[in-house]
Each structure stands twice: as structure tokens, then as C-alpha cells.
Amino acid sequence: MPTVELRFAALNGHVRTARMIATAVSRRAGVPAGAADEIKLAVTEACARAVRVNRRHAPQSPVHVALTETPDAFTITVADRGQSGDEVAPGPDGGLVTASTLLDLEPDSAAPPWWSEPAEEESAADGGFPPGLGLALIEGLVDEVQISRGADGVGTIVAMTWHTGPAVAPSDPIL
């Protein structure tokens, strides 16, 4: 059961509020203080993506954010009401494009075939970055990320998890 649930109109101004609430709830959930910046950035990316998707395909639908605390983890899910594949780029292997794949791109090289050019109006808004860049960034900020379709097949759910339980002690080195 979620600890806190937010629903907000697809307006950029609400992303900051979601970020502030996520940071406060994460502290109470026992997420290490050192992870606060990662939580802020990950929530900002996920919520900004959901706002863009909803504004494009379902402007009357709210963005849904759920913050859930369990004894060993803190999870934030962000759900939009977009279409299949909105701002989710398939990587060269057919799975999601990863941060390491994007970081390996040479600035002057030709765009790989899985990197589709955004529409002209989207280019101006996001600087021409490839679809899925925010999700790839999130992947590097959280302990676990899961991207799935909404229960009714509409929209995308981005679930981000940080572990709060006791740290696993490294095993003794083998000599």
C-alpha cells in the first residue's frame, strides 16, 4: 500500500512539488541521506517525462505518483496515460536503451538506427535528445528500475526502487 499518493495535472510546475514530497518521504522511509540528490533527479526525470507524454496524448489525465515504504525498500512509481513506446527508445538489442549505450555514442557519429529523430515541435522542447534519455538516466540513479505498461494497457509506469535494509556485507576475498 502506498505511503503517499499524488495526482497532478500535466503541468511542469507540479514536477517540483512531486520532487519535494518524494525527498521528504524518502527521508522518513530511511533512505540514506546521500541518496537525496539521486531521488530528486530521478523523480524529476520520471515526472517531467510523464507530464510531456500526458500533454501530448491525454492532457486531461493526471500524472500519478505513488511513494511506497517497505521494511527493506523505498519505491516511487510514476504513471502516465500515453501510448505504447512514448519516450521509451528500444536499444540496439531490442531492450530499453541504457545509459551506457547513450554514453557510448560519439557526438559526430551518425545516429544509430534505433535512435529516431523527434518531431520538430518535440526537438525544440528537449534539445533534440533521443527518446528514452530520461529513463536511461534514471537507470543510473536508482537501485532498481522497472518500466511497464499500465494495468489497462494504456500508459507507462516507471517504478524506481532504493534499498533501505541492512547493507549486504562484502564476502571475504578469495586468496
Side-chain angles (χ1 to χ4, degrees), residues 23 26-27 30-41 141 143 162:
T23 304
S26 72
R27 279 189 217 127
V31 176
D37 288 339
E38 287 85 1
I39 290 170
K40 289 176 188 175
L41 186 52
L141 297 170
D143 294 334
W162 290 265

Side-chain angles (χ1 to χ4, degrees), residues 15 19 39-52 78 87 133-135 137-138 141 160:
V15 173
R19 177 179 58 233
I39 290 170
K40 289 176 188 175
L41 186 52
V43 168
T44 298
E45 288 295 327
C47 288
R49 180 197 161 280
V51 165
R52 283 190 307 272
V78 179
E87 294 195 28
L133 180 62
L135 295 175
L137 178 62
I138 289 168
L141 297 170
M160 305 168 286

Side-chain angles (χ1 to χ4, degrees), residues 44-61:
T44 298
E45 288 295 327
C47 288
R49 180 197 161 280
V51 165
R52 283 190 307 272
V53 167
N54 275 15
R55 287 177 65 104
R56 190 177 312 128
H57 298 292
Q60 299 304 316
S61 296

Side-chain angles (χ1 to χ4, degrees), residues 1 10 14 19 53 55-56 68 77 88 106 109 132 161 163:
M1 181 164 171
H14 296 307
R19 177 179 58 233
V53 167
R55 287 177 65 104
R56 190 177 312 128
T68 306
T77 59
V88 179
E106 294 294 325
S109 66
T161 301
H163 299 290

Side-chain angles (χ1 to χ4, degrees), residues 23-174:
T23 304
V25 175
S26 72
R27 279 189 217 127
R28 192 181 68 88
V31 176
D37 288 339
E38 287 85 1
I39 290 170
K40 289 176 188 175
L41 186 52
V43 168
T44 298
E45 288 295 327
C47 288
R49 180 197 161 280
V51 165
R52 283 190 307 272
V53 167
N54 275 15
R55 287 177 65 104
R56 190 177 312 128
H57 298 292
Q60 299 304 316
S61 296
V63 172
H64 180 240
V65 180
L67 302 99
T68 306
E69 174 186 355
T70 65
D72 296 327
F74 176 64
T75 301
I76 301 172
T77 59
V78 179
D80 64 60
R81 298 297 293 170
Q83 297 175 355
S84 178
D86 276 337
E87 294 195 28
V88 179
D93 62 354
L96 291 175
V97 65
T98 63
S100 59
T101 302
L102 288 170
L103 292 174
D104 286 341
L105 291 177
E106 294 294 325
D108 296 332
S109 66
W114 48 266
W115 179 336
S116 62
E117 290 297 322
E120 193 171 312
E121 66 275 2
E122 293 171 13
S123 257
D126 65 12
F129 293 116
L133 180 62
L135 295 175
L137 178 62
I138 289 168
E139 175 195 25
L141 297 170
V142 303
D143 294 334
E144 294 176 33
V145 64
Q146 181 179 6
I147 299 162
S148 58
R149 299 299 303 150
D152 59 358
V154 177
T156 300
I157 300 170
V158 178
M160 305 168 286
T161 301
W162 290 265
H163 299 290
T164 59
V168 177
S171 57
D172 292 331
I174 299 174

